[in-house]
Amino acid sequence: MAAAGWTREPGPPGKCNARWAHVRGWRIEHCGHPTANHPWALYAPDRRMILTGVQYGNPPTFGTAWDGLADVIEWVASAPARAFEVQP
């Protein structure tokens, strides 16, 4: 996670309720349910929730929360993710 620019925020140990922050302003939050199918909420730097449909060219409001951190990390590192970042 650190190599990809992510830092875990302080909180309880374990996966549930985990929160991560990215150097470019992205955030990932676990929903807290230990058996959730889509537990990871991704928030753009402007605080909009970004759902999984965005990976396939759909609007960011289409799809579900994310299944795993690997998919989130990969997508945030992609060129399409840059469109959601505030440009100076």
Side-chain angles (χ1 to χ4, degrees), residues 43-62:
Y43 295 94
D46 66 2
R47 307 298 290 158
R48 284 187 292 169
M49 183 183 277
I50 307 297
L51 300 177
T52 56
V54 76
Q55 300 172 95
Y56 311 106
N58 293 307
T61 56
F62 182 85

